[in-house]
Amino acid sequence: MYRYIISRILLVFPTLIGAAALVFLLMRLVPGDICLVRLGSGGTSFTQQALATCHAEIGIDRPWILQFFDFIWGMARLDFGKSMWSGKPVIMEIATRFPISLEVAIMATIIAVVIAIPLGTISALKQNTWIDLVVRTFSIAGLATPAFWLGIVSILIVLDVTQAVFGHPWMPPIDYVPLWQDPIRNLSIVMLPALTIGYRYAAVSMRMTRSAMLEVLREDYIRTARAKGLVRRLIINRHALKNALLPVVTVIGIEFAFLLGGLVVTEQVFNLNGIGRLMVLSVQNQDYTLTQALVMVVVTIAVLSNLVVDLFYAWLDPRIRLA
Amino acid sequence: MRTGFRLGAVVVSVLLAIAVPASASEMPKRGGTLTYMIPADAPPSFDGHQEGTFAMLHATAPFYSTLIRVNPENPSSPTDFVCDLCTEVPQPAGEGDTYIFKLRQGVKFHDGTPLTAADVAASWNKIISPPEGVLSPRSNWFMMVDKVEAPDPSTVVFRLKFATSAFLPALADPFAFIYKKETLDRDPQWYKKNILGSGPFKFVAYETGQSITGVRNPDYYHPGLPYLDGFTGIFADKQATRLDAIRSDRAAAEFRGLPPSARDELTGALGDRIVAQESDWNCGSMVIINHKRKPFDDVRVRRALTLAIDRWQGAPALSKIANIRTVGGIVFPGSPLAATKEELQQIAGFWPDIEKSRAEARRLLKEAGAEGLSFELLNRNVDQPYKYVGTWLVDQWSKVGLNVTQRVVPTGPLLEAQRSGNFAVNSGANCHGVVNPLLDIQFFLPASVGIANYGQYEDEKEVALYNRMLRETDPSKQRALMREFEKYVVDTEAHQLWVAWWYRIIPHRSYLKGWKISPSHFINQDLATVWLDK
Amino acid sequence: MTIEVAPTTATTVPVLLDEQGRTVRGLWGVTITFLRRQPVGAIGMVLVLIFGLAGIFAAWIAPYNPTSNDFAAMTEAPSWAHWLGTDQLGRDLLSRILFGARTAFIVGMTSALVGGFSGLVIGVASAYFGGQLDLWLQRVLDIVMAFPLIIMALAVVSIFGTGVQNVIVAITIPLIPRCARIVRSSALAIREVPYVDAARALGYGHTRIIMHHMVPNVMGPFLVIITAFVGQAILAEAALSYLGLGVQEPVPAWGLMLQGGAEEYASTAPWIAIFPGLAIMLTVFGINLFGDALRDVLDPKMRDR
């Protein structure tokens, strides 16, 4: 068991280095570079000398092995370097955009939980009735709808409805203010994106809640409680829900980590200045340092959470524990 | 009595008609904050000398002054230049190769220090001959400049290597911000991350990737200006966002240009709360042909490509969905050097009879053994107007039996493919600021002259012709040389194809006044004359 | 965009029993029993079939050529001439959606099958051989699974060029580790079962044991995963095309139709944005319904409901 834990933890490091090598290589294999984008994307012409100066300034004309070493060594010291596009520290670029993404993610989670757990429970209790059917259709539709399409359509609907009703089209404010500064404005910015992502999130959670509840309801101890004559609501709240919640919470936790993927398109649609959009921008600009840093952040979170899950299951599973 | 009364009424009404001003100019109101959209993501730096994107300009032009500029009251004229920091635009002295500028007195930078000729000279020297490690993408525009000097604190002298009419328009470059000499001496890269100018607005704040704000400069040297209390520029790359912002009055305008559909949607939804200003744009769609790729080294194949395109019909059709409109030669339509319609119709690709043109194209292809040729058109992954033009070109070429597919790639890989010659035919665009035909056509020149030209060809005759034209001081002779040059590059040799000129449409809220559209989204963005009628 | 697979507990060889408890045989029999048991799944199958057949027969059914521009008929509202309207280049929307179904299913099914089978091989091998191979393989899969899809897609599109096959490559890569993980956890349960050890003791080769014992037992979750993957791949293609990294012009693809022009014309010509989105939604909806029903049938825990 301890051998497993130690070797499993030690393996995190080569995994991270492998991921770093992968992103380093992939970005540099893409033709073109940031200097070309910076000088040439306006459609104006530029001199060859300007290009050479830019390369030297940023340092992408050095041999790849040197650049890679800089990257790894920087990561080890938690120094992610400067963004090649703006020259500002990568940490700063990420930090300024982190709050809005986090806020959307948290609000989406709240919406998802608020919708999913009650609806999933009702759906399980009233299995195979028309309520169950409606809820299941609702949740499967949530999994089937492209998030960005939902975003486009919802903006459109809000604009048209407000125009029809108030005669003046309304759109959420574009410039972000933090929640404590102006709660109303802030909430009106994040509400639509949170709903768009939250719908899908709710769909996944709803299905998990339903199936977990169904499993628990079949358990013997529930039947015993019912035979004992306990009130139905008590059964649900005290016994069923509590036990059903464990896998549901696990799924919600895992899904939260994957929210970044959903954020990438949603922030594009709603033009939010968040991490997802930063990733799209850094990839389009071919900003190596920023992209590398972002990918490493995402991969590290994923690798660490996998580690935790693996260790947890290893602890649970006697076959591994005693191996 | 009745006749007298009637006569009197007529006289009175005539007098009234004369007395009431005929023009619609009202008294500008002071105050208010202008919010506008900047159609891009955050610019890489704030240094105008080193950057070339309009995103940077729209964000920072209000903070800075330039030496001369396009007249903000008449920005669509390609010859009307007025002073910003100088007192009057000089006539060339000496043999036409010396320009002596007298500067305004009492101009101050936003930190209170005075702006003198030394600052102007230092800024210009940075642009023309940048120090080690400093970019200057437009330095080749000033290859005619020999020296820039500041003999005393209020005089700047430009000495040219030869007289040319291309100098003054180049000098009006909107990117030529005037910086402090002291700061440049200490750190030439300081202005990349910092803003300190002498313009109508003072820098307040920059939210990374989001917005930039400025407030009125109370010590601005143009009296009475600016009218606005301040401004906020919001970065939004997505067109839908900008459109919705203008529609719901979160912003008043966007200063690059929106497609016709956007204008129609806004005017349809908002009626007279929207005003749309339109103008020809100093940008055009063109086709670059890789001369190293067979069979495009054969001039007959290249000429066939241009003959197949029906510009006269296509441009009006495209103008409904894209920012394309005017069919013209290589010189900006409306410039004195531009070709007239009759002159244009002599050039291949602009013949009035398209059937005849296409028949000739087919004949040339057959002669060159390139009938039914298949190739890839490399294009940028942007809708307006690149993809529309690309799709249309593919359609046009199919009419002479050519089998073309479009290959659309993101910006970085596209530029790299161009540079490494990894393409056959590339549909692109060429954009310029101030209308300066002699410099704007430099992209036709072969790469050996120093410009980024990806057609991979050499042509000494072309270069010689261009140099003669650049140095010609007699306007009518220069015009004749331009006609010769034009015919040579797009017809006789068909080195690159010129497709059509873009069309700039700026729909903005009707309370936004004092901003006049110009042929370039790079010029006239310091917002000093803008006021809000609300 | 995220690629998710719903968790499942199916661990046995899929066997369908009819009312009398006999095993149902034959494709026809299986289909009929399935349809009767899971009417909702039947609806899903019908939806999938509609779009699938539309894609296959697009060339015959479509009224117009999906790539020919008609500058005289741009952004026209739905009418008798164009049932779903035209887009900003005058191309008929109905034809583009029909041909788009073809692209969607090609991308979806190829990605799902290739990704699924690769994941199956890797997952089973990893579970069977265990030890160091398992440990290192899982780490490689960790990296690939955590890697953002957009970067992978940009790299593939930029290096190898555009084209449907490259989009398929980009979408298949993230699917492999997800499949491998789930297959592996099912296969791990089998590995400890006594008859595997007995088979080894009897001297049976690795391949035989894997093919005869492990693979049939992970078939249940595997089939469910493949169905889920088709829907996920279609959604991923849509998202990538929206970001400009997927299929490129002028190939008709639903995701591509939602990019650029659709948002630009969203207010004046909403049909350009609505119909392709509806097509995606209905197709993936059908696939999900079908997949759910399949899981209900194959998962023994759910069987007696």
Side-chain angles (χ1 to χ4, degrees), chain C residues 181-193:
Chain C
R181 233 165 211 261
I182 296 181
V183 165
R184 174 180 173 270
S185 60
S186 294
L188 272 180
I190 310 286
R191 191 168 168 276
E192 306 304 326
V193 170

Side-chain angles (χ1 to χ4, degrees), chain B residues 238-239 247 259 261 265 320-321 381 383-384 387-388 391-392 395 406 408 410 413, chain C residues 69 71 74 88-89 154 158 162 242 244 248-249 259-261 263-265 267-268:
Chain B
K238 256 173 51 120
Q239 189 186 290
R247 188 170 152 190
S261 62
E265 184 196 321
K320 296 202 194 81
I321 52 169
N381 190 9
D383 259 2
Q384 278 289 356
K387 285 213 252 195
Y388 291 131
T391 314
W392 173 70
D395 191 51
Q406 251 194 99
V408 172
Chain C
N69 314 313
F71 288 116
M74 301 185 294
Q88 67 276 16
L89 284 171
L154 171 74
S158 309
T162 54
Y242 176 70
Q248 301 292 350
E249 293 282 358
Q259 187 215 30
E263 274 186 298
E264 204 181 301
Y265 289 90
S267 300
T268 43

Side-chain angles (χ1 to χ4, degrees), chain C residues 8-78:
Chain C
T8 174
T9 53
T11 50
T12 61
V13 182
V15 155
L16 214 50
L17 303 174
D18 65 8
E19 280 78 19
Q20 281 83 29
R22 289 180 301 227
T23 314
V24 176
R25 295 199 188 284
L27 189 58
W28 185 246
V30 165
T31 315
I32 293 290
T33 318
F34 177 80
L35 288 176
R36 247 190 294 142
R37 292 255 186 88
Q38 301 282 341
V40 174
I43 299 177
M45 237 174 78
V46 166
L47 272 174
V48 172
L49 273 176
I50 291 178
F51 282 101
L53 290 172
I56 297 177
F57 294 111
W60 289 275
I61 325 175
Y64 296 85
N65 183 330
T67 54
S68 61
N69 314 313
D70 184 1
F71 288 116
M74 301 185 294
T75 62
E76 276 190 9

Side-chain angles (χ1 to χ4, degrees), chain A residues 238-294:
Chain A
R238 198 175 285 179
H239 299 291
L241 201 55
K242 242 193 313 172
N243 290 303
L245 274 183
L246 181 59
V248 176
V249 167
T250 316
V251 162
I252 290 182
I254 295 178
E255 282 298 310
F256 189 83
F258 284 119
L259 266 185
L260 179 69
L263 278 178
V264 168
V265 265
T266 311
E267 286 179 6
Q268 280 290 105
V269 173
F270 291 97
N271 200 58
L272 299 175
N273 193 21
I275 302 282
R277 188 145 160 261
L278 183 64
M279 179 164 298
V280 175
L281 279 179
S282 74
V283 161
Q284 278 174 351
N285 290 340
Q286 295 182 270
D287 186 342
Y288 298 154
T289 34
L290 189 55
T291 313
Q292 281 160 195
L294 280 170

Side-chain angles (χ1 to χ4, degrees), chain B residues 331-350:
Chain B
V331 178
F332 181 70
S335 158
L337 285 170
T340 60
K341 189 160 174 193
E342 292 72 33
E343 285 166 333
L344 209 51
Q345 285 176 331
Q346 309 295 322
I347 301 179
F350 295 88

Side-chain angles (χ1 to χ4, degrees), chain A residues 33-46 85 284-286, chain B residues 39-40 52-54 237 256 283-288 376-391 393-394 405-419 423 425-431 452 454 502 521-522, chain C residues 157 162 243-245 247-250 256 259-260:
Chain A
D33 58 57
I34 189 173
C35 289
L36 276 177
V37 176
R38 187 169 150 191
L39 290 169
S41 57
T44 49
S45 53
F46 52 91
W85 183 253
Q284 278 174 351
N285 290 340
Q286 295 182 270
Chain B
T53 56
F54 66 89
D237 191 28
R256 184 177 176 272
C283 295
S285 287
M286 30 109 65
V287 175
I288 307 174
E376 240 182 16
L377 176 70
L378 185 67
N379 202 354
R380 183 183 282 223
N381 190 9
V382 173
D383 259 2
Q384 278 289 356
Y386 298 89
K387 285 213 252 195
Y388 291 131
V389 171
T391 314
L393 283 174
V394 166
T405 47
Q406 251 194 99
R407 183 172 126 214
V408 172
V409 288
T411 309
L414 173 85
L415 292 166
E416 177 60 30
Q418 284 180 328
R419 269 180 14 112
F423 71 98
V425 177
N426 169 217
S427 159
N430 209 265
C431 261
Y454 304 123
W502 290 10
H521 52 303
F522 294 108
Chain C
V157 163
T162 54
L243 291 173
L245 297 171
V247 183
Q248 301 292 350
E249 293 282 358
L256 190 60
Q259 187 215 30

